[in-house]
Amino acid sequence: MAAPKEEFMYEITKAIGVIGEGSRGWRKEVNIVSWNGRPPKLDIRDWNETHEKMGKGVTLSGSEVRMMLELLGNMDLSTLEE
């Protein structure tokens, strides 16, 4: 018998922006999200139109965002596919 799914809560405290959209209407968004009442973090993931369903994503703390910005600032973007 499968274990029951754990309930979790989330609150998008600030919408930063949409960085892409899939063919089925889901959008890759950057938001500030509080998960299970914890302090908000930067979150990048796919969301459906109503924000009731989500895909897998990446959640970063403030220090991780600072490190990411530093790494990306030093990156040669010409090596990436458009």
Side-chain angles (χ1 to χ4, degrees):
M1 184 167 165
K5 280 189 173 183
E6 261 188 62
E7 291 285 325
F8 68 97
M9 299 177 347
Y10 62 91
E11 177 187 2
I12 298 174
T13 61
K14 183 173 184 179
I16 304 297
V18 176
I19 58 176
E21 187 166 335
S23 60
R24 297 185 311 166
W26 283 47
R27 300 180 308 186
K28 187 174 305 294
E29 299 183 15
V30 180
N31 297 304
I32 305 298
V33 180
S34 171
W35 296 97
N36 293 319
R38 294 188 182 111
K41 293 186 175 189
L42 185 90
D43 185 81
I44 305 169
R45 73 181 63 243
D46 292 333
W47 292 90
N48 74 345
E49 190 174 289
T50 61
H51 292 107
E52 293 174 357
K53 294 182 181 179
M54 68 194 82
K56 291 183 180 180
V58 175
T59 303
L60 302 169
S61 67
S63 61
E64 291 169 327
V65 171
R66 282 189 284 283
M67 179 58 76
M68 177 72 82
L69 290 171
E70 183 178 326
L71 292 170
L72 292 176
N74 295 323
M75 185 178 168
D76 178 5
L77 296 176
S78 68
T79 61
L80 295 176
E81 182 180 321
E82 287 296 322

